[in-house]
Amino acid sequence: MFALVKVIVSAVLISVITEVAKIYPKFGGIIAALPLVSLLSLCWLYVQGEATQHLSKFLFGVLWGFPATAFLLLVTALCLKASFSLIVSIALGIGAWGMFLLMQNIVSKHL
C-alpha cells in the first residue's frame, strides 16, 4: 500500500510540474531543477525507517551525481537548441552523463 502512495504522490508532483511548464517554461524548469526527487526520496526512506547514516550516504550519493546530471542537462539542451530530435538529444545527454561519471571516478581515484 505504501508503494502505491509513493507512486501516486510522485506522479502528481511530476504532473503539476509539467502543467506549470506548459504555461511558464522557465518557471517550470526552475521547479523541476529543485531537488524535489532527492528530497522526496529522502522522506520516503525516512518514513520507511532507514537509519540517519543511510540517509546521509544517500545524500552524498546525490551530491556525487549532481555534476554529471548538470552536464547531461547541458548537453541535452544544447542538442535541442541545435535542432537534434528529442530522442537523440536525450541519448547524447545520457551518454555524456555516463562519460562524466566515468571520468569523475577515474579522477577521484588518482587524487
Side-chain angles (χ1 to χ4, degrees), residues 31-110:
I31 294 171
L34 293 171
L36 295 174
V37 172
S38 299
L39 293 175
L40 195 54
S41 298
L42 181 68
C43 290
W44 295 141
L45 289 168
Y46 176 78
V47 168
Q48 294 174 144
E50 293 295 333
T52 54
Q53 283 298 101
H54 187 81
L55 300 177
S56 177
K57 287 180 184 177
F58 167 75
L59 290 175
F60 278 113
V62 170
L63 284 171
W64 184 254
F66 177 74
T69 300
F71 194 60
L72 174 148
L73 296 173
L74 175 65
V75 168
T76 303
L78 291 173
C79 288
L80 288 170
K81 189 173 183 173
S83 299
F84 285 80
S85 71
L86 178 63
I87 300 294
V88 171
S89 298
I90 291 173
L92 290 171
I94 291 171
W97 174 80
M99 295 289 281
F100 193 100
L101 279 176
L102 179 66
M103 289 172 39
Q104 184 176 334
N105 284 331
I106 290 169
V107 168
S108 71
K109 288 179 184 178
H110 289 91

